[in-house]
Amino acid sequence: MADLEKILDQSLPLVREVGQWIQSMVNQIAIEHIQYKGKNDLVSFVDQTAEVRLKEGLASIFPEAGFIAEESASDFSEVGDGYYWVIDPLDGTTNFLHQLPIYAVSVGLIYQKQPVLGMIYEPNRDELFYAVKGAGAHLNGLPIRVSSQPTLEKSLLATGFPYHDFSYQDKYLTLLKELMQKSHGLRRMGAAAIDLAYTACGRFEGFFEANLKPWDVAAGKIIIEEAGGKVTNFSGGLDVIFTGQIIGAGAIFEEFLGTLQTHWEN
């Protein structure tokens, strides 16, 4: 087993450095720099350069690990059981390009297809969330825990809306309608990594979203779990990284999942 604590200690400065570089580029982006990978799926040279910097640095820290990274991944269906860095160099690209201050660097390390280390850096608030399997979750060096709020009725929830695959839009809207009536409200931040990090530290009681990629959730999953929360797919299974579905929460998890499942048939 790799020395995860040592890998974390060496990786945290790199993640913060890349995030701060991203922050320095906010006012350097022009409309001609924006490219489209698909419908409403934007990218710029900032994403691409940040990914290169992360991959180079992480390869130096832990050369045994492979990579699954948003801007260079093609097919991750043949991922093995070894170590892989799972990277979203700029989660919340659309926010970044519109100069909305909600975006993050997300880096997870998986082993046997499950996260064992995660780091999420939000540069606007200079908040670095991280966790190693078995060692708890932290924010800027201090321990964090999921919310102990036991009822959905008194919870603030986060989600993401369909933005390019609208095949499940109707049942999503029906679910949102019930959750709006059963909670303190719903928030759509536009960056799953931040939703997951905020759930881990108790700002949100829970988060769910469909149609996500491994780099959206790998870091956040382990951070929530190490903060005392639970994370599954919509069926309640532990296969989250490669299914595209995630629901994570603290004390409300069972009620939250049950409500979701009344509207969602896999």
Side-chain angles (χ1 to χ4, degrees):
M1 188 74 173
D3 187 343
L4 296 176
E5 293 278 5
K6 181 179 178 181
I7 293 169
L8 176 70
D9 288 343
Q10 294 177 340
S11 302
L12 286 173
L14 171 66
V15 171
R16 186 186 293 273
E17 176 189 329
V18 171
Q20 291 176 343
W21 175 79
I22 289 171
Q23 187 72 355
S24 74
M25 300 303 294
V26 170
N27 296 315
Q28 308 300 315
I29 292 289
I31 193 167
E32 59 267 22
H33 296 140
I34 301 173
Q35 304 171 38
Y36 287 82
K37 296 183 289 182
K39 182 177 177 61
N40 296 328
D41 192 3
L42 283 60
V43 67
S44 75
F45 72 89
V46 175
D47 307 65
Q48 295 161 340
T49 303
E51 181 171 296
V52 169
R53 292 176 64 164
L54 287 167
K55 290 175 73 172
E56 289 177 349
L58 294 169
S60 175
I61 293 167
F62 188 28
E64 295 87 352
F67 287 95
I68 306 170
E70 179 174 13
E71 305 310 331
S72 57
S74 54
D75 181 11
F76 45 79
S77 63
E78 297 183 4
V79 169
D81 286 334
Y83 288 98
Y84 291 84
W85 290 109
V86 187
I87 301 171
D88 192 336
L90 177 49
D91 187 35
T93 297
T94 301
N95 287 345
F96 174 80
L97 294 173
H98 286 270
Q99 297 191 16
L100 295 176
I102 306 169
Y103 43 85
V105 179
S106 180
V107 177
L109 181 66
I110 62 172
Y111 178 66
Q112 295 181 340
K113 300 181 181 177
Q114 291 296 326
V116 293
L117 182 157
M119 300 170 284
I120 296 171
Y121 179 58
E122 199 278 275
N124 287 281
R125 292 171 59 100
D126 190 28
E127 291 190 329
L128 183 51
F129 301 81
Y130 55 90
V132 168
K133 188 172 181 63
H138 296 81
L139 165 56
N140 290 348
L142 299 175
I144 56 175
R145 297 292 293 177
V146 292
S147 172
S148 59
Q149 170 54 245
T151 65
L152 194 60
E153 182 183 13
K154 296 181 180 179
S155 296
L156 183 64
L157 309 173
T159 189
F161 301 150
Y163 65 95
H164 64 88
D165 178 0
F166 300 99
S167 61
Y168 57 93
Q169 179 175 265
D170 289 344
K171 59 183 175 183
Y172 214 79
L173 292 174
T174 303
L175 172 60
L176 293 180
K177 181 179 179 180
E178 179 169 358
L179 292 174
M180 287 175 192
Q181 297 172 7
K182 281 190 171 182
S183 71
H184 276 179
L186 289 156
R187 299 292 181 266
R188 199 278 193 182
M189 306 291 277
I194 290 180
D195 292 321
L196 291 162
Y198 284 10
T199 300
C201 70
R203 295 173 187 169
F204 293 133
E205 271 68 41
F207 165 70
F208 75 98
E209 189 169 350
N211 202 30
L212 293 175
K213 297 293 191 294
W215 45 82
D216 295 314
V217 300
K221 180 179 188 291
I222 185 70
I223 295 173
I224 289 180
E225 290 172 339
E226 288 297 316
K230 188 171 181 179
V231 181
T232 71
N233 57 39
F234 291 177
S235 299
L238 298 181
D239 185 4
V240 169
I241 305 303
F242 297 101
T243 62
Q245 300 176 346
I246 189 168
I247 176 169
I252 65 163
F253 182 83
E254 297 301 332
E255 182 185 5
F256 191 21
L257 177 61
T259 302
L260 182 152
Q261 289 178 336
T262 63
H263 298 278
W264 202 284
E265 296 181 5
N266 286 284

